[in-house]
Amino acid sequence: AWQALRATAERLRHPDQRLKRRGLAVAAALFAFFALAPLGHDVGGRARLEGAEQRLLAAPSDGYVKAAHVRPGDRVQAGQPLVDLQEDELRLERERWQSQLVQHENAYAAAMAQSDRVGAATAMARVSESQSQLALVDERLARGRLVAPFDGVVIAGDLSRSIGAPVRQGDTLVTLATGGRHRVIVEVDEVDIARVQPGQAGRLSLSAVPWSSEAVVVERIAPMARAVDGRNVFEVDARLVAPHDGLRPGLVGHASIEVGRRPPLWAWLGHAAARLRVAWWTWFG
C-alpha cells in the first residue's frame, strides 16, 4: 500500500497532472474547512403556527344547526355570534314547565285558603321544582347561540353546508384562535432534542411566505414524544420575536434552532453516529 501511494504521488508530480493536483488541493481545503471551521449548528424540523390561545366551542345540548354566521378564516370580535342552534324543543319544554308552575301556584293558593298546611308545603315544593326547571331551560336557551369569547380568527368549523344537521352535546362546532398572538410548534427528532434548551434562538420559514423568515425563541419543550411518520419527535414550543399581521394560525413550514457551534463534518458524523446507536439499541437491546 505504501509503495502504491508513493507511485501515485510520483505520477501527480508530472506536469500533465496539474489539474488533478489542483482538484486534490481544493478537495483537501474543503475537507479541512468542514472538519475544522466552527459554524453554527442547527437542529429543527417541521413547524406549524398556532394561536397563543385556542378555544373549542362545543354544542351545549343535543339539537340541530339553525344558522352558521362564520366560516374558517373569518376574523371575529368578542361577543359576535358564530352558530345558532334550533330552539323549538327547548321553547316547548319551557312552555310545559311554565304551565306547571302556574298550576302549582294555584294549588298553593287554594291550600292556603283552606288552611291545608300539608297541601301548601307540597305545592310550594312543586313550585320550587318548576322554577328550577325553568331556570335550567332558560340557561340552555341562552347557550343556543354560540358567541366568540375573544377577538380572534376562526380556524375550523365550516357549518354553512350543515344547516339542519343534528349535533350531540359536546360536539365541537367551531375552533377559535387568537389573531394577534401566535406560538410556533417545532417537531424535533428524538436524536437532536437533548441539544435544545429554552432561550435558544432560531428561524421559521413558512410555506406560504418562503421569501422571508421569522425569528423565534424557544420557550418550553414537551416532556413526551409522539410518533410521526415512523419516528419519534418532541414538540418544542417557541414564540415569534416580531409577529406581523400577515400571519395566520394553521400555516406550516420548517424551523431551525441554533444549538451551538461545531464543524459541519463532526455535526453530520455525530448525527449519523447517534442514529446508529439508536438503531443498535433497537435491534440488539
Side-chain angles (χ1 to χ4, degrees):
W2 176 250
Q3 291 178 356
L5 184 62
R6 291 185 60 184
T8 302
E10 291 294 336
R11 287 196 298 270
L12 288 176
R13 293 178 182 177
H14 196 275
D16 295 340
Q17 303 294 324
R18 182 178 303 172
L19 292 178
K20 185 176 291 187
R21 289 199 300 271
R22 291 178 179 177
L24 289 176
V26 170
L30 289 176
F31 179 81
F33 174 78
F34 286 111
L36 301 177
L39 302 181
H41 179 39
D42 298 337
V43 301
R46 292 186 299 184
R48 66 181 184 273
L49 196 64
E50 295 182 352
E53 180 181 357
Q54 291 191 181
R55 187 76 60 85
L56 301 179
L57 302 181
S61 59
D62 298 346
Y64 299 87
V65 178
K66 181 180 180 180
H69 303 287
V70 294
R71 300 178 65 182
D74 293 346
R75 293 186 177 272
V76 297
Q77 303 293 327
Q80 179 178 339
L82 305 177
V83 180
D84 288 338
L85 300 179
Q86 291 184 359
E87 305 168 348
D88 298 340
E89 294 184 359
L90 288 177
R91 294 191 182 279
L92 291 175
E93 185 176 356
R94 190 184 190 284
E95 292 179 1
R96 180 171 64 86
W97 284 110
Q98 182 67 38
S99 63
Q100 291 188 10
L101 176 61
V102 173
Q103 293 177 6
H104 297 323
E105 288 178 344
N106 294 334
Y108 173 76
M112 290 297 293
Q114 298 175 4
S115 300
D116 185 1
R117 296 184 178 181
V118 176
T122 303
M124 179 55 67
R126 292 175 178 174
V127 167
S128 300
E129 179 187 5
S130 300
Q131 291 175 344
S132 300
Q133 293 294 337
L134 273 175
L136 179 60
V137 172
D138 288 339
E139 183 180 356
R140 294 172 62 186
L141 282 171
R143 292 187 298 170
R145 163 168 284 193
L146 302 182
V147 298
F150 50 77
D151 298 347
V153 181
V154 179
I155 61 176
D158 187 2
L159 299 176
S160 59
R161 303 178 184 177
S162 304
I163 304 300
V167 294
R168 300 189 63 83
Q169 183 177 4
D171 289 348
T172 300
L173 302 181
V174 177
T175 303
L176 194 65
T178 52
R181 297 180 294 115
H182 305 87
R183 67 172 183 170
V184 181
I185 305 299
V186 187
E187 298 178 354
V188 179
D189 193 274
E190 61 180 348
V191 174
D192 301 320
I193 194 61
R195 301 185 179 92
V196 180
Q197 299 295 331
Q200 293 174 337
R203 305 294 299 182
L204 169 67
S205 298
L206 297 171
S207 302
V209 283
W211 52 85
S212 64
S213 60
E214 304 289 337
V216 298
V217 176
V218 176
E219 288 194 334
R220 64 180 298 273
I221 303 170
M224 296 294 294
R226 63 187 186 90
V228 176
D229 297 335
R231 60 192 184 95
N232 292 330
V233 298
F234 286 81
E235 290 190 348
V236 176
D237 193 350
R239 62 174 176 86
L240 293 169
V241 176
H244 55 82
D245 295 337
L247 300 178
R248 286 177 174 267
L251 296 178
V252 296
H254 184 276
S256 58
I257 302 170
E258 187 172 347
V259 297
R261 301 183 66 84
R262 296 179 65 187
L265 180 62
W266 301 115
W268 299 335
L269 291 178
H271 186 80
R275 288 200 172 277
L276 287 176
R277 286 197 299 269
V278 172
W280 178 273
W281 176 82
T282 304
W283 294 337
F284 300 104

